[in-house]
């Protein structure tokens, strides 16, 4: 390799790297790690390139995995054979089941991670994966030939050839960090940004936009007076994320709760004129659901206080993450503001909070397999698609990894439906509606929420994980056993008839249920509001002989049968439309009768099915009817005009 | 042709056949240039939506007819596209010639329902409005036309829109408390407030559902059968109600062999009255066939008028015939009140307390009372319903019924203490049902059948 100097700039003549890869993944964040692992585990020769090999699987923001709707994603990733659940199970320091008082569909798991252990374990898993090379490199451009990606080029002029390329670059594309009026390019605080790659994408024809997000300062535990806060422990019996793990053995740490007050809000207001958000320096669109503390104070003026959780960043660090005070206010204001909060009167900041603006690539330019429509064999996953959150990133990562590997093998992509998984909802939303602001998962985004629960993620997706070759054999067998024992239990519940006076009937009556007058099946008993599986188990221990978790599943299946059935029926209807596929070259431009406006929208998204077309915003039912006609009759051209 | 969306369509919008004036409509991107070529009237030089005199010419410049033309620029037109309407003398041949000239200039004949479809497609009307238009054109009475017009003007949509709004705001609160329950003290609804809101919405929807009773009658009309044994005066009653001597009336039992009918308007509803052959067992094959047909009519009627001859005691024949209507909506009438009365009708109606009407088909006595009773039976709620836009189709009632039962489930779920995702699922379902009503998410079959039933040119 030799360097040529001209015009003050160093041009590097390219070095063709001798190994040809099948899948090249750019970025070892949460998306990239899952993508690379999936591709390698599926047998592809895989390369993972990342800017800093010490920052693999690093949590940029809150050191926690899961939460409402996100816990669902983690379990789905696990059911497909991904790594995130196993990684948090191994490195979690506080596990909590959220919404336990609420319904089964919205119960979620969340766990605090030891940030360093989390990243180290992930790195180790990657390093020990067969067929996967991990290298530190700054990718500057996509190599494309004839509309196809064939590899990437780094800032050192190295060309890595790959049959497919998966971009998982997170917040790094032209990342710009803001703290008060100060701003500087960075991928996240303390790391190089990727300044070239998004221009390479632009020149390939992608439309690139700009979003913004932010994080909290990190605090030194030695300077926090925890006695002035409220201690919050995790669950006494932590439940693992992975269906393959039985228990969590690592010692658990508490969190602490405190509140902002009028003095805090006053301090914040005094800094607004120097806030990059309020002085108009930041142009990127931030997430509405995850506002900075300055946003909260301005938007909810009447609010007297806001909650702050103090969460440990790990077992061997004194850094704490004050959840709830994400900010990009100037440094002095951050200090002043924090020191008004009970427990934080003498706090020292280790790292200041900041906002970051970054380039993203509007995901309507993708197909539901996460391959771009503009450059074949190029896939995008994670925050580059406008999402925010580790779980959202990892969920896309595993799908992109699977589909890149399948593309290499000439197999059709795996596309999860909206009634199959939150992952399906996530990707469908992204590629159908695009991202106008950072996209985060919520349970309300899933119209079949009652079907998509954490507790049945394995039942929903293990078959797919197995079919694509990701889910290890023993996990698949365990799933089969569980499914069989669930159907056996359901059969027993609906077939076992007990008569009044039976212990189960007496137990029900004692539990406050109405008297049992005639013979009744267990299932009928279970349908009564006051009856639980635990109650039946206490009378008939043999019901508990099945696999783990089956009793709960059976209870939900029986208790909410009507709801589940109705949603299943809806889902079946939906499926019909999802299965009406447009051929890949379907000419939306010339479908007879469509208005220009609707046609433009369809051309922008190029839905793969009638079902997806229906969900494109602005596509009217009448337009859908026209598409159906065109699809069925193959009549895309207008009928011949009488000339 | 290069661009499907730009296709310009043409068709007459007035009924086929000769009339004083016929109107030809052009719609689409090229409607203006084509109309200009046909009429010589420059759309830019004339105010929109006003008539200008013109001479309609064919491609060779030969004058076909003299008439008027009006331009409706998009989006302020029926279809939401550029629309030109050419008024011609009402001769189908002229119309055809001008339409052919339009096609020669690049338009093509509109398919059935295509103007409406484009209007719907361009958001100019929702599904209920499109139906309203169809009904307006087919309306048989002034009241039916009024109901259809209200529907065309978006009456049904306007009636359900506020309910949909309320469901949405309820759903938003439910979803918020599900998805943001980890947030601090979000001000949310108590269980009691939720069920109160759900039941309010359900009650309003249910009240609206009642309008279907009138609405579908306005659209479809009603069939009233006149039944009874031979010689009780059925045919004479028909004639009396129609005000004309439609049926043959004689003192010979078994006069009416086949059913016959006539139409009257009752509270705005088109009512078909059907006189049937007297119900009795007989050997005469012709009369037997008549009785069979009577039974068919009775089975399909919205209401039967069962006649007894009050001047003689009811016998087993009457009771046997009555058994055939007893299970269906009916009124019991004692005819021939001008003669001395020997039959009170007690013992019919299962001894129930509903009113028995006494009347005379001969003198007309009691007929006014009968008409009132008929109106009451056919239009429960009466003309009070006329204030709003009634639902007119089974499809509407089904959608609203679906919504109502989903909301009932939501109430039950809240009552049983199920967690919020369950009532939320129900409220969603209810909203979906209403969205189907206005066609926001109409399944293809609904759309196809609706548009398929349009006559050309609307
Ligand atoms: C300041 C900040 C605040 C955040 N706040 C929140 C929040 O409040 N809530 C929330 O849910 N999420 C938040 N996140 C988002 C969360 O961190 C991301 O959504 C998630 O990490 C995205 O995962 P990813 O895999 O897409 O990208 P990242 O985790 O960002 O990883 C990107 C990886 O790509 C590598 N890379 C990038 N460009 C190149 C290149 N050209 N060549 C080689 N390697 C490259 C990087 O080195 C890095 O390893 C925040 C992130 C930041 C930075
Ligand atoms: N006095 C009196 N005679 C009536 C009245 N209604 C009908 N009649 C007479 O009763 C006889 C039978 O009348 P129709 O109307 O033919 O009876 P119908 O029920 O149609 O008989 P069929 O067609 O034979 O079944 C005729 O002579 C009528 O003039 C009434 O209200 N008063
Ligand atoms: Mg007669």
């Amino acid at each position: 390799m030799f360097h040529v100097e001209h015009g003050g700039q160093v041009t590097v003549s390219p070095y063709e790297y001798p190994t040809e890869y099948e899948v090249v993944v750019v970025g070892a964040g949460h998306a990239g790690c899952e993508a690379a692992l999936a591709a390698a585990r599926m047998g592809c020769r895989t390369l993972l390139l990342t800017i800093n090999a010490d920052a693999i699987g690093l949590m940029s923001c809150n050191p926690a995995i899961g939460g409402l709707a996100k816990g669902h994603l983690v379990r789905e990733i696990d059911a497909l054979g991904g790594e995130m659940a196993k990684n948090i199970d191994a490195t979690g320091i506080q596990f909590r089941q959220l919404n336990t008082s609420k319904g089964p569909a919205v119960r979620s798991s969340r766990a605090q991670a030891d940030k360093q252990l989390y990243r180290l374990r992930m790195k180790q898993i990657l390093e020990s994966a067969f067929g996967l090379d991990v290298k530190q490199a700054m990718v500057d451009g996509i190599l494309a030939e004839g509309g196809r990606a064939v590899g990437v080029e780094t800032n050192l002029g190295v060309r890595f050839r790959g049959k497919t390329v998966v971009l998982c670059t997170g917040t790094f594309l032209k990342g710009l960090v803001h703290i008060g009026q100060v701003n500087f390019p960075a991928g996240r605080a303390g790391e190089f940004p990727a300044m070239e790659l998004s221009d390479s994408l632009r020149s390939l024809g992608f439309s690139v936009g700009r979003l913004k997000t932010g994080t909290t300062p990190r605090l030194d535990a030695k300077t926090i007076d925890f006695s002035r806060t409220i201690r919050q422990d995790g669950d006494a019996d932590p439940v693992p994320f992975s269906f393959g793990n039985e228990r969590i053995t690592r010692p658990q740490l508490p969190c602490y709760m405190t509140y902002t007050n009028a003095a805090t809000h006053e301090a914040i207001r005094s800094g607004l004129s120097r806030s990059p958000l309020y002085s108009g320096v930041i142009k990127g669109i931030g997430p509405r659901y995850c506002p900075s503390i300055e946003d909260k104070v301005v938007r909810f003026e009447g609010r007297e206080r806001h909650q702050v959780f103090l969460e440990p960043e790990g077992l061997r660090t004194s850094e704490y993450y004050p959840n709830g005070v994400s900010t990009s206010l100037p440094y002095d204001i951050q200090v002043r503001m924090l020191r008004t909060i009970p427990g934080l009167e003498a706090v020292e900041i280790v790292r200041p909070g900041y906002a970051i603006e970054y380039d993203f690539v509007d995901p309507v330019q993708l197909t539901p397999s996460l391959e771009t429509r503009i450059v074949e064999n190029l896939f995008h996953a994670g925050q580059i698609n406008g999402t925010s959150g580790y779980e959202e990133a990892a969920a896309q990562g595993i799908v992109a990894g699977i589909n890149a590997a399948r593309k290499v093998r000439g197999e059709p992509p795996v596309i999860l439906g909206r009634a199959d998984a939150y992952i399906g909802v996530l990707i469908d939303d992204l590629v159908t509606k695009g991202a106008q602001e950072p996209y985060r998962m919520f349970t309300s985004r899933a119209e079949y929420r009652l079907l998509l629960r954490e507790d049945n993620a394995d039942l929903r997706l293990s078959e797919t994980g197995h079919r694509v070759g990701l889910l290890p054999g023993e996990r698949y067998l365990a799933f089969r056993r569980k499914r069989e024992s669930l159907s056996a239990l359901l059969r027993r519940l609906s077939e076992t008839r007990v008569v009044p006076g039976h212990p189960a009937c007496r137990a029900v009556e004692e539990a406050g249920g109405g008297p049992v007058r005639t013979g009744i099946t267990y299932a009928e008993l279970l349908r009564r509001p006051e009856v639980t599986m635990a109650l039946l188990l206490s009378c008939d221990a043999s019901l508990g002989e099945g696999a783990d978790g089956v009793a709960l599943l059976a209870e939900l299946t029986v208790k909410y049968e009507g709801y589940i059935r109705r949603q299943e029926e809806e889902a079946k209807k939906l499926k019909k439309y999802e299965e009406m596929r447009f051929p890949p070259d379907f000419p939306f431009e010339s479908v007879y009768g469509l208005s220009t406006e609707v046609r433009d929208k369809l051309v922008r998204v190029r839905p793969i099915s009638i079902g997806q077309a229906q969900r494109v915003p602005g596509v009217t039912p009448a337009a859908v009817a026209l598409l159906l006609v065109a699809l069925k009759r193959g009549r895309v051209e207008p009928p011949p005009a009488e000339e | 042709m290069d661009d499907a969306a730009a296709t310009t369509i043409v068709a007459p919008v007035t009924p086929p056949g000769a009339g004083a004036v016929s109107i030809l409509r052009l719609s689409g991107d090229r409607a203006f240039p084509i109309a200009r070529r046909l009429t010589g009237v420059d759309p830019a030089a004339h105010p929109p939506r006003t008539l200008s005199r013109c001479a309609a010419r064919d491609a060779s410049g030969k004058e076909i007819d003299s008439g008027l033309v009006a331009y409706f620029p998009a989006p302020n037109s029926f279809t939401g596209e550029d629309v030109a309407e050419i008024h011609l003398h009402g001769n189908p041949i002229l119309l055809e010639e001008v339409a052919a000239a339009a096609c020669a200039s690049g338009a093509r004949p509109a398919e059935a329902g295509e103007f409406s479809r484009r209007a719907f497609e361009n958001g100019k009307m929702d599904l209920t409005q499109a139906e309203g238009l169809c009904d307006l054109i087919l309306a048989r009475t002034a009241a039916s036309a009024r109901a259809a017009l209200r529907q065309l003007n978006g009456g049904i949509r306007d009636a359900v829109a506020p309910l949909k709004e309320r469901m949405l705001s309820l759903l938003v609160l439910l979803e918020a408390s599900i998805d943001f329950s980890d947030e601090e003290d979000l001000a949310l609804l108590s269980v009691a407030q939720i069920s109160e809101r759900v039941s309010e919405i359900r009650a309003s929807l249910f009240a609206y559902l009642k309008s279907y009773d009138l609405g579908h009658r306005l659209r479809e009309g009603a069939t009233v059968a006149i039944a009874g044994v031979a010689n009780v005066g059925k045919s004479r009653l028909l004639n009396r109600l129609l005000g004309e001597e439609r049926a043959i009336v004689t003192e010979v039992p078994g006069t009416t062999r086949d059913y016959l009918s006539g139409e009257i308007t009752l509270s705005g509803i088109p009512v078909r009255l059907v006189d049937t052959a007297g119900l009795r067992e007989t050997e005469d094959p012709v009369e037997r066939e008549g009785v069979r047909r009577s039974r068919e009519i009775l089975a399909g009627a919205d209401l039967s008028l069962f006649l007894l001859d009050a001047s003689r005691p009811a016998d087993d024949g009457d009771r046997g015939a009555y058994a055939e209507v007893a299970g269906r909506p009916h009124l019991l009438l004692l005819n021939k009140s001008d003669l001395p009365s020997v039959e009170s009708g007690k013992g019919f109606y299962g001894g129930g307390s509903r009113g028995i009407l006494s009347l005379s088909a001969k003198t007309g006595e009691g007929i006014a009372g009968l008409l009132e009773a008929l109106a009451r039976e056919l239009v429960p709620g009466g003309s009070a319903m006329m204030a709003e836009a009634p639902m007119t189709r089974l499809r509407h009632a089904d959608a609203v019924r679906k919504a109502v039962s989903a909301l009932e489930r939501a109430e039950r779920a809240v009552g049983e203490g199920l967690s919020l995702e369950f009532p939320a699922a129900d409220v969603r379902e209810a909203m979906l049902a209403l969205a189907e009503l206005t066609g926001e998410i109409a399944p293809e079959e609904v759309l196809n059948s609706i548009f398929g039933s349009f006559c050309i040119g609307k």
Side-chain angles (χ1 to χ4, degrees), chain A residues 25-33 49-53 55-62 70 135-141 154 167-173 177 187-189 191-198 213-216 218 287 289-290 321 326 354-356 358 381-385 387-394 396 439-440:
Chain A
V25 178
V26 181
H30 307 279
C33 291
L49 297 174
T50 197
I51 297 174
N52 179 354
I56 288 173
L58 185 64
M59 299 168 140
S60 323
C61 194
N62 192 353
K70 291 169 172 257
K135 294 183 192 300
Q136 178 166 299
M138 169 71 80
V139 170
D140 274 358
T154 74
L167 290 188
C168 308
T169 50
T171 51
F172 283 66
L173 301 183
V177 163
R188 67 193 149 210
E191 290 194 53
F192 292 120
M195 298 306 283
E196 304 293 330
L197 187 52
S198 48
T213 186
T215 191
T216 68
R218 306 299 196 276
Y289 45 81
C290 189
Y321 178 97
S326 165
Y354 63 92
I356 183 166
Y358 53 94
Q383 196 136 357
I384 189 175
N385 285 339
T387 59
S388 101
Y390 313 133
E391 305 79 2
E392 286 84 349
Q396 295 165 67
Y439 180 102
R440 186 216 130 132

Side-chain angles (χ1 to χ4, degrees), chain A residues 237-537:
Chain A
D237 190 12
V239 181
F241 277 90
S242 173
F243 289 100
N245 287 338
E246 275 172 20
R247 65 185 57 81
I248 301 297
T249 48
R250 185 174 290 284
Q252 303 287 294
L253 291 184
C255 294
Y256 301 87
M257 197 171 66
T258 180
Y259 290 95
T260 62
N261 53 47
T264 322
H265 301 174
E266 192 37 54
I268 289 167
R269 277 189 207 101
S270 76
L272 285 181
S273 59
R274 288 185 292 140
S275 140
L277 273 176
Y278 286 91
S279 60
V281 178
I282 290 182
K283 301 278 186 302
I285 300 157
R288 275 176 303 174
Y289 45 81
C290 189
S292 60
I293 185 70
E294 49 268 34
D295 252 347
K296 288 195 254 185
V297 167
V298 171
R299 287 208 331 240
F300 306 100
E301 221 192 312
R303 203 64 159 278
E304 279 161 20
R305 58 180 204 174
H306 297 276
Q307 244 170 17
V308 181
F309 286 98
L310 302 174
E311 302 171 339
E313 291 235 314
L315 298 168
R316 296 199 193 96
T317 173
S318 69
E319 276 188 84
Y320 262 71
Y321 178 97
N323 196 343
V325 288
S326 165
T327 182
S328 56
L329 287 167
Y331 200 96
D332 56 310
I333 302 291
Q334 293 194 22
V335 174
R336 253 182 69 202
M337 173 257 285
L338 287 169
R339 288 186 179 167
T340 61
I341 297 174
L344 304 183
E345 291 83 354
V347 80
E348 291 296 337
I349 292 178
V350 181
R351 318 177 197 213
Y354 63 92
I356 183 166
E357 284 184 285
Y358 53 94
D359 284 349
F360 81 107
V361 184
D362 193 338
V364 289
Q365 300 165 95
L366 306 176
T367 71
S369 70
L370 294 180
E371 184 176 0
T372 74
R373 279 193 276 102
I374 294 167
V375 177
E376 203 184 333
N377 296 340
L378 177 64
F379 295 75
H380 289 178
Q383 196 136 357
I384 189 175
N385 285 339
T387 59
S388 101
Y390 313 133
E391 305 79 2
E392 286 84 349
Q396 295 165 67
I398 192 169
V399 171
I402 290 172
N403 286 333
R406 290 175 72 83
K407 183 92 197 222
V408 168
R409 296 186 194 159
E411 292 166 350
V414 167
I415 295 167
L416 299 172
R418 296 184 72 90
D420 300 330
Y422 274 87
I423 301 179
V425 175
L426 166 72
I427 293 176
D428 182 62
D429 279 349
L430 290 176
V431 305
T432 308
K433 303 190 174 120
Q436 279 76 46
E437 65 172 326
Y439 180 102
R440 186 216 130 132
M441 187 41 80
F442 295 108
T443 73
S444 54
R445 296 198 194 267
E447 46 283 75
Y448 308 102
R449 179 165 57 196
L450 305 179
L451 305 179
L452 306 184
R453 305 185 308 268
E454 268 199 16
D455 62 70
N456 69 0
D458 55 341
L459 296 182
R460 290 184 276 120
L461 297 173
S462 297
E463 207 62 77
T464 308
H466 171 69
R467 182 166 56 83
V468 303
L470 255 192
L471 191 67
E474 75 274 14
R475 284 279 305 279
Y476 182 64
L477 288 179
F479 148 75
R480 294 277 297 260
R481 273 197 303 279
K482 182 168 170 185
R483 194 172 56 182
E484 276 149 31
S485 89
L486 174 63
S487 54
L489 180 55
L490 286 173
R491 214 173 317 117
R492 276 200 60 199
L493 289 172
S494 59
E495 285 171 5
T496 313
R497 190 167 278 280
V498 292
V499 293
H502 183 277
C505 300
R506 283 210 304 276
V508 168
E509 284 160 9
E510 276 161 29
V516 179
R517 294 221 170 76
T518 58
I520 190 169
T521 64
Y522 277 149
E524 284 159 350
L525 277 178
L526 198 49
R527 245 167 247 139
R528 296 183 168 203
E530 68 282 355
V531 181
T532 60
M533 202 59 202
L535 186 98
L536 293 185
L537 278 169

Side-chain angles (χ1 to χ4, degrees), chain B residues 231 233-236 247-250 252 254-257 275-278:
Chain B
N231 233 20
K234 299 186 293 298
S235 299
R236 193 151 188 184
I248 302 166
V249 173
T250 71
V252 183
T255 302
T256 307
R257 293 300 180 92
D275 177 23
T276 63

